[in-house]
Amino acid sequence: NTTLYQLKRGGTNVISLRLRTALRCLYDYSTLSRSTATLSPVDFHRPFLTCSSEQVLASTRKLHAGAEGSKVSPSAAPERLPFCRVTEEDLAFFRKILPGRTIVDPDLVEPSNVDWLKSVRGSSEVLLRPQTTEEVSQILSYCNSRNLAVNPQGGNTGLVGGSVPVYDELILSTSLMNKILNFDSISGVLTCQAGCVLENLSFYLEERDYIMPLDLGAKGSCQIGGNVATNAGGLRLLRYGSLHGTVLGLELVLADGQVLDCLSTLRKDNTGYDLKQLFIGSEGTLGVITAVSILCPRKPKSVNVVFLGCETFEQLLKTFQLCKGMLGEILSAFEFLDSECMRLLNTHLKLPNPISDCPFYIVIETSGSDPTHDAQKLHNFLEEAMTSSLVSDGTVATEEAKIKALWSLRERVTEALTHDGFTHKYDISLPVERIYQLVTDMRKHLGNQAKSVVGYGHVGDGNLHLNVTSPSKDPALLAAIEPFVYEWTASCRGSISAEHGLGLKKRNYIYYSKQSQAVALMGNIKAMLDPKGILNPYKTLPDNLKQ
C-alpha cells in the first residue's frame, strides 16, 4: 500500500523507496538545441502584429515613453467618468431592500477596495451584499436610473485590477449568494448561485463522487461567478477544457435590472445565438452573473501525481510529447516551474524540494477509473522518459496528503512571489515551443534591473505566467517591461491575457492581441447592453472606446 515511490533508471520495476532519489542522466547538456537558440521574437515582431492599427500601438508606446513629459502608463487609471455620487437618499433605498447588508463602515468596506496583490485600491464607501437575483435586479435598476457606477465583486482574487473599484463605484458583492440550487447525479450538472466558493463546491461534489471541471490555486477564496466572469482556466483545462465548454447555462442581471435567464442544463441546444458565451470572460462589464449551471465529471478512482526534474526546456517539451502519447486519456495536468520558482518556495515558504536541484520541474497528474491500468501506463511512461534521458530526477505520489504536498509546489508560487517584493504579473498564451524563450529574453532585456524573473504555468495549454519582482514599486522597471513583453507576445501571435482577463491593468494593451475591428465591435456590444456604462467601468475595454 505504498503511496509515494522513487523513480529509478535502468530497471523494469519502479521500486518503492523514500521521497528523494537521484536519477542522473549521463548526457551532455552544454550545447543548446537549435530551437532554443533562435533570435528573440522582438527582432522581427513588426510583420506579425495581429492588430490592424499601428497608430494605436504607437500611441501606447508613446505613453510608455512619457510623451511631452507625461509619465502616465497605459495601465494607470483613466480620469473619473461623470457618474453620480452616492447620496443619503440612495443609501436609504439600499437599506430598504438590503436590511443589514448595506455596509458603510469604512473598516468593513476597506478590504473590498483593495485587490489581492494590494496593487490597486479604490475609494468606494458602500458595499452591497445581496442574497438573491431579485435583489441584484433592484440594485442595478436603481443604479442605472441614478447613473451610479457598480463594481461587481466575487472572491476578489483577480490579478489585473478587475475586481475592485477604481474610484467610488458601489461594490456589489456576491458573497452571500452561496446556495447550491440543484445537482443532478445522473447527468452530473450542478446548478448554484454565483457566490459559491470553488473549494466548497468541490467538497460538495466529492461527497457525491463527482468533481469540479476546474481547479485553481485560489480555490479557497474564489467564487464560481467570478471564475465564469473571467473565464478562469486553471490546472484541469488540459483534461476538461475551458468554461466555454463546461458551463451549460447562466442567469444574469443586465445593467438596467433585466434578468436574463439562460440557466439551461442541456448539453445540446442550437436554438438561436448562444448568449451565455458572450458573458463568459466579460469581467462583469456586460452583466452580473447570479447563477451558473456547469457540467461536472465523475470523481476519478485513481489519481497519481508525478514531480520530475529536467535539465533543459527542450527536454521538458519532449517529455510533454511523450506524456501525451503514452498517458493519453488519463493525463489530466502537465504543469511546469523553473528553478527560480523553486528558490522562492524554499526561501519564503520553507517548502523543501522533494528531488535534487534541476533547472526545470514538471508536475504531471493522471486520473482514471482503474488503478492497476493507470499505474501500468504511468510506469511505462516513466521508464521510457528515464531511459531516453529526458528527466534527471523524480518522485511519484498516490496518497492524498502526498499529492497535495507535490501540488503545493506549483500552486503556491504566486504566494511565494508576494514575499519577494513588488510583483509585475503577466499571463501570456504562446505556441508551446516558445513559452520559456520569453522568460529567457526578459532576463537578458532587464539585466540587473529586476530582483527576480520567473516562469511557470500550464504547458498543456501553452499558458505562461511570467513574473518580475523588485524590492518596491519601480516605474523605470515597468517602463522596461512594457511594452517589450506585449510586442514579444504579438510577434508570436500570442495572447497578452491567457486566463486572468484584462481588468484595469491590461485594458489598453488589447490591440496587441485583437484587431481594431474586433475591439470596436466589443465596444458596440457594451454600448448596447450597458448604454450608460455603469457596469465595472474603466475595465476590459481600452480608453479610446466610449464606455
Side-chain angles (χ1 to χ4, degrees), residues 35-60:
S35 64
T36 59
T38 54
L39 290 173
S40 164
V42 170
D43 294 330
F44 48 87
H45 78 271
R46 285 188 179 275
F48 297 97
L49 286 175
T50 57
C51 62
S52 63
S53 176
E54 283 285 349
Q55 290 181 335
V56 173
L57 298 186
S59 65
T60 301

Side-chain angles (χ1 to χ4, degrees), residues 2 4-8 14-21:
T2 302
L4 188 63
Y5 54 86
Q6 174 183 334
L7 313 179
K8 193 160 187 166
V14 179
I15 305 172
S16 299
L17 284 174
R18 316 175 358 169
L19 177 67
R20 192 173 175 85
T21 186

